[in-house]
Amino acid sequence: MDVAITELDVRMPLSETAAQDTTQATYYTNVIKACLAVSRCVGITLWDYTDKYSWIPSVFSGQGAALPWNANLAKKPLYDTIAAALGGPASPPSSSRPTTAPPTTTPPTTAPPTTAPPASGGCHVTYQVTSQWNVGFTTNVTISDTGSSPINGWTLRWTFTNGQKVTQGWNGNFTQNGAQVTVTNVSYNGTIPAGGSTSLGFNGSWTGANATPTGFTVNATACG
């Protein structure tokens, strides 16, 4: 079974204290290590990256400070905690840090190619609506390489049947033209080994019906 941690954040009562920061770091570490302890941990994503755009203060009055960047888009020590739990390096010295915030996932040190040659062998796509409400839904999509050769760079396409729209996606570059959705790999998940898989997901909107889409293809090869 694939396992993913999604929409992760750890809120605290404000104002933020050093003791609460320590507890928060422990919770993040425990959750990340729990996923990594599973052989098929396919991803860990955060609910945004900065306290500036967090949903928490508008829902939980007097609480916040849940994410690794503060409201001024500066990294907190929590960033290094997350990096260490993932087995990566801590932040570089402040003088060498980029001025723009990096992504909230940790890519491998060698990025696979992002071009999309034809898939070798077969593919299988699993499409699962994990939650749904009156105007929206969240879906997890898994691409499996059922062939004998790795897929180096992928383009996934499908067609919605009820006018659904993708509103926000992760672990892929999403575009939509009418009913057709196209997703291309990002730098850290472009290679799918033979017998392996990669997962992505999105939030969407719907009205009336939310049927499973049709016509799944990877690099123009029809998938089961």
Side-chain angles (χ1 to χ4, degrees), residues 59-177:
V59 178
F60 295 95
S61 179
Q63 298 191 41
L67 296 162
W69 279 266
N70 66 23
N72 295 319
L73 305 185
K75 287 180 185 176
K76 305 179 191 175
L78 178 61
Y79 176 91
D80 291 337
T81 297
I82 293 171
L86 290 168
S91 303
S94 58
S95 61
S96 62
R97 291 183 186 176
T99 55
T100 56
T104 58
T105 51
T106 302
T109 55
T110 302
T114 57
T115 56
S120 174
C123 54
H124 184 273
V125 174
T126 301
Y127 180 98
Q128 181 184 22
V129 175
T130 56
S131 63
Q132 182 172 298
W133 55 100
N134 59 341
V135 294
F137 64 105
T138 299
T139 296
N140 185 71
V141 181
T142 300
I143 306 170
S144 299
D145 181 357
T146 59
S148 59
S149 302
I151 299 173
N152 293 312
W154 50 264
T155 297
L156 169 67
R157 288 191 173 91
W158 71 78
T159 302
F160 280 128
T161 58
N162 300 110
Q164 300 100 317
K165 300 290 185 183
V166 173
T167 57
Q168 179 188 28
W170 49 90
N171 292 343
N173 300 308
F174 287 74
T175 58
Q176 183 168 353
N177 184 10

Side-chain angles (χ1 to χ4, degrees), residues 14-39:
L14 300 175
S15 296
E16 189 173 359
T17 68
Q20 290 179 147
D21 287 344
T22 299
T23 300
Q24 181 188 57
T26 299
Y27 289 168
Y28 265 99
T29 298
N30 289 346
V31 172
I32 292 169
K33 288 186 174 180
C35 190
L36 296 180
V38 179
S39 61

